[in-house]
Amino acid sequence: MQVIHAADLDYRAINEALRKTDGDCTIKGCCGQRFIAAGMSGKNLTIEGLPGNALGAYLNSATITVKANAQDAVGDTMNDGKILIHGNIGDAAGYAMRGGKIYVQGDSGYRAGIHMKAYREKIPVMIIGGCAGSFLGEYQAGGIIIVLGFHKNGRRIVGNFPCTGMHGGKMFLRDICEDIRFPKQVTARRTSSEDLKEIQKYLCEYCADFGYSADELLSAPFTVITPDSKNPYKQMYVAN
């Protein structure tokens, strides 16, 4: 295991040191440095400390594990790989994400999964263990967003305006969602057994990563949200 001591390094120096490593690597003393592991491939990276914005932006085949919280724009436009956050994340996680996985043990801020998309075999997946902020899945075009709602403490599982402009992909909320207003362009319904089969492998992987029981997780009701058409906002952009 190779170790990078980041306390006195900026993000350029950290990423340069990362590129020179082979195999597993740990960054210690991280404190707000942005763009860590941007565009990286073939690395297994553990971060001890608080990484700054755009952690794992344009990530390819790397795996990143953060032993604390992370700031905004985690996995911005990531292509592949996996990011595990043992804490909370800030706003705009997975912006324009087009592949790979982001698994968060805690809560997310606003606009997680905005512009998430999928292409052929690439299906990005984001799982948020706690609650999500407003505008979750805004303009979602593909992929899967799952919110589990652990430790809600009286809060709603998701904030205001979820699925605004959604025209692709699916969102799963581990809740009956009676107190959530969805836009008219989407359909929210109780999940079927077939729906749950679609996400079961991701949930089992998530539980293995964070030490939860998959059976207990799946015993609660889920709501699945899908767009009514591939482009419900088409009339706004295409002349008749």
Side-chain angles (χ1 to χ4, degrees):
M1 174 70 70
Q2 300 174 74
V3 177
I4 298 172
H5 295 279
D8 298 321
L9 303 179
D10 65 10
Y11 76 90
R12 294 184 182 89
I14 293 173
N15 282 335
E16 181 63 27
L18 269 176
R19 282 189 284 270
K20 293 178 179 178
T21 61
D22 294 317
D24 297 348
C25 181
T26 296
I27 297 175
K28 294 189 175 184
C30 187
C31 187
Q33 291 95 334
R34 300 173 294 167
F35 310 121
I36 292 177
M40 290 285 179
S41 301
K43 303 285 185 184
N44 289 314
L45 173 63
T46 299
I47 298 176
E48 298 178 4
L50 181 65
N53 292 356
L55 168 72
Y58 305 102
L59 193 71
N60 285 306
S61 59
T63 297
I64 301 172
T65 300
V66 180
K67 296 294 187 179
N69 299 330
Q71 294 186 14
D72 298 343
V74 170
D76 186 340
T77 324
M78 68 183 285
N79 296 307
D80 206 344
K82 184 175 180 179
I83 301 177
L84 289 173
I85 308 293
H86 289 260
N88 303 322
I89 52 173
D91 298 338
Y95 176 87
M97 181 183 178
R98 52 201 183 196
K101 301 168 185 173
I102 299 176
Y103 291 173
V104 182
Q105 189 170 23
D107 300 330
S108 76
Y110 294 164
R111 288 190 159 91
I114 180 174
H115 286 298
M116 182 187 283
K117 59 199 72 176
Y119 181 69
R120 294 183 178 175
E121 75 282 356
K122 281 191 172 291
I123 302 175
V125 178
M126 179 185 296
I127 303 180
I128 298 163
C131 298
S134 296
F135 296 101
L136 176 69
E138 186 178 29
Y139 300 111
Q140 184 181 352
I144 296 171
I145 299 173
I146 304 170
V147 186
L148 301 178
F150 293 143
H151 314 301
K152 287 193 294 184
N153 297 323
R155 296 178 297 162
R156 291 188 304 174
I157 192 170
V158 63
N160 298 321
F161 314 114
C163 310
T164 301
M166 181 184 189
H167 56 279
K170 292 183 178 181
M171 183 183 295
F172 293 82
L173 304 179
R174 187 171 171 264
D175 194 273
I176 57 176
C177 296
E178 291 181 332
D179 56 349
I180 298 173
R181 294 182 61 184
F182 296 102
K184 294 180 180 179
Q185 294 81 11
V186 304
T187 298
R189 58 176 174 79
R190 182 78 174 265
T191 53
S192 66
S193 58
E194 289 300 312
D195 294 320
L196 291 177
K197 283 181 182 178
E198 182 179 355
I199 61 172
Q200 186 171 8
K201 63 181 179 181
Y202 304 121
L203 294 177
C204 289
E205 181 182 19
Y206 180 94
C207 288
D209 288 331
F210 293 114
Y212 295 127
S213 165
D215 290 339
E216 181 179 348
L217 189 155
L218 289 166
S219 67
F222 278 78
T223 299
V224 58
I225 304 96
T226 55
D228 282 340
S229 70
K230 291 186 178 179
N231 190 351
Y233 280 51
K234 182 177 181 180
Q235 68 274 15
M236 297 177 62
Y237 303 108
V238 179
N240 293 325

